[in-house]
């Protein structure tokens, strides 16, 4: 099953994001084929990241939550909130 990790940054947390970006990217790359897509949400003016969307394959919600909790961004306290939602990739799924 696929899960969308919808993460919203805390206000004024750009420094935390920058300081932990490399570790975050290494963590996501370390997920291998379990990671389906990832990237930041952007401010309306397209200048600043405001959160993250991470699509992961997981056996269940608890496994997806573990991925979210182990992310260096989460460990550094970047996120105000993290929503985990099951997701069905219907269109343009390269694995379908």
């Amino acid at each position: 099953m696929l899960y969308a990790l919808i993460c919203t940054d805390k206000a004024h947390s750009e420094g935390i994001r920058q300081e932990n970006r490399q570790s975050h990217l290494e963590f996501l790359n370390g997920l291998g084929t379990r990671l389906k897509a990832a990237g930041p949400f952007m401010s309306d003016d397209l200048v600043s990241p405001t959160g993250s969307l991470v699509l992961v394959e997981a056996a269940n919600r608890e496994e997806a939550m573990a991925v979210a909790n182990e992310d260096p961004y989460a460990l550094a306290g970047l996120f105000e909130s993290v929503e985990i939602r099951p997701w069905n990739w219907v269109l343009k799924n390269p694995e379908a």
Side-chain angles (χ1 to χ4, degrees):
M1 183 72 214
L2 295 178
Y3 289 86
L5 313 179
I6 304 165
C7 311
T8 303
D9 291 0
K10 292 178 181 173
H12 311 294
S13 59
E14 297 84 2
I16 295 171
R17 179 175 278 275
Q18 285 300 332
E19 290 166 10
N20 293 279
R21 185 172 189 271
Q22 188 61 39
S23 297
H24 166 74
L25 295 176
E26 290 170 3
F27 170 76
L28 291 180
N29 281 320
L31 294 174
T33 60
R34 294 175 52 205
L35 177 68
K36 302 304 178 187
F41 290 109
M42 300 300 293
S43 58
D44 288 338
D45 60 7
L46 305 177
V47 173
S48 303
T50 62
S52 299
L53 172 63
V54 178
L55 298 174
V56 295
E57 186 171 10
N60 52 47
R61 181 180 174 75
E62 290 74 25
E63 189 176 294
M65 178 64 82
V67 170
N69 289 338
E70 293 166 8
D71 186 320
Y73 278 171
L75 295 173
L78 174 64
F79 300 134
E80 178 71 31
S81 65
V82 176
E83 182 180 358
I84 297 176
R85 299 180 66 179
W87 189 69
N88 186 20
W89 195 345
V90 175
L91 298 175
K92 298 196 178 193
N93 180 343
E95 297 177 8

